[in-house]
Amino acid sequence: MSFELVGPVLRGTLVRLEPLEKRHAAELAMAAEEDRENYGFTWVPRAHEVGDYIDAQLERAAAGRLAPYAQISVHSGRAVGATSYWEPRCWLSDDRLDAVEVGFTWLARSAQGTGVNTEAKLLLFRHAFEEWGVCRVDLKTDARNARSRAAIEKTGARFEGVLRNWSRSWAPGEEGRLRDSAIFSVTAAEWPRCRERLENRLDGFGPDRKPSAP
């Protein structure tokens, strides 16, 4: 595959997505320890694991499978979570990206419900559709994770179904087991309406909250 999955800096008014680097480790360690109550089905590193977590993400990036980001709060200037482009697919041509997943997403408790996730999804989707020209962006989560499923549905992504034993379980105590995954997607044809929906949701977090044009 000649297409190189490299994510540029993506800037919004609430969040700035920066390619993940080791310099983000200290702030991500603090973010991960704020309140872990909502991480029941999502693996988020403990503070002492963040260094290894970043190394693993950078190894996936070097293999061309992942473009990892740190989510930076524009208000505080601090890293408050992570997200990624993941599993690039070039079906029609080796040098054109046809589909990609948005995943490996987590946020500190203090950043949840603030519009950061909404704007991050808008930035990631917009770059994928409008710069890379993808036909599809997909997202998946543990089928049992009602909170995550609801958050994905709010982006405008369409629920496609549950694939059984589809991917590794990240739930505590389920190491070495597979999980059922709920699959969602946005297609290129759906993107204009999805973009409008995300922008309208951002309006609810105050004036001038929409990300600037790329």
Side-chain angles (χ1 to χ4, degrees):
M1 184 173 69
S2 59
F3 176 85
E4 186 176 3
L5 186 67
V6 177
V9 175
L10 300 175
R11 293 180 173 86
T13 58
L14 297 172
V15 64
R16 183 175 67 256
L17 301 181
E18 297 179 353
L20 182 65
E21 298 179 5
K22 292 183 178 182
R23 63 185 175 86
H24 296 118
E27 292 176 1
L28 288 177
M30 293 178 60
E33 293 292 344
E34 281 188 5
D35 181 344
R36 300 182 61 88
E37 182 179 355
N38 293 330
Y39 298 155
F41 296 105
T42 302
W43 185 79
V44 176
R46 304 300 308 226
H48 69 277
E49 297 172 321
V50 166
D52 290 341
Y53 163 80
I54 292 176
D55 287 342
Q57 295 295 71
L58 295 180
E59 286 180 10
R60 293 184 178 102
R65 300 175 58 206
L66 186 79
Y69 283 103
Q71 301 198 61
I72 310 299
S73 165
V74 171
H75 174 71
S76 68
R78 300 180 66 88
V80 294
T83 191
S84 296
Y85 287 119
W86 170 235
E87 295 288 10
R89 279 148 283 160
C90 297
W91 291 315
L92 301 178
S93 170
D94 283 347
D95 59 3
R96 181 185 183 279
L97 185 65
D98 294 303
V100 71
E101 181 177 331
V102 169
F104 283 100
T105 300
W106 61 271
L107 279 173
R109 181 64 185 90
S110 62
Q112 296 172 23
T114 64
V116 165
N117 181 62
T118 299
E119 188 172 58
K121 293 298 190 295
L122 176 56
L123 292 167
L124 291 163
F125 290 2
R126 187 176 66 186
H127 185 79
F129 285 114
E130 299 180 13
E131 299 300 319
W132 286 336
V134 301
C135 298
R136 169 189 172 96
V137 170
D138 43 83
L139 308 95
K140 67 177 182 286
T141 189
D142 192 307
R144 300 167 293 180
N145 193 341
R147 181 185 181 91
S148 178
R149 290 176 64 160
I152 293 172
E153 288 176 347
K154 286 179 181 178
T155 70
R158 179 180 294 188
F159 174 60
E160 295 186 329
V162 173
L163 298 180
R164 297 174 297 168
N165 290 343
W166 182 250
S167 57
R168 173 181 176 178
S169 175
W170 297 103
E174 294 187 359
E175 293 78 8
R177 294 174 57 184
L178 297 176
R179 74 179 194 192
D180 296 346
S181 291
I183 309 298
F184 298 79
S185 72
V186 180
T187 66
E190 296 165 342
W191 167 236
R193 175 175 284 188
C194 178
R195 175 173 178 162
E196 181 180 8
R197 178 171 181 164
L198 288 167
E199 289 176 343
N200 288 339
R201 288 195 66 218
L202 280 175
D203 284 343
F205 294 97
D208 302 321
R209 296 300 190 189
K210 296 176 186 177
S212 57

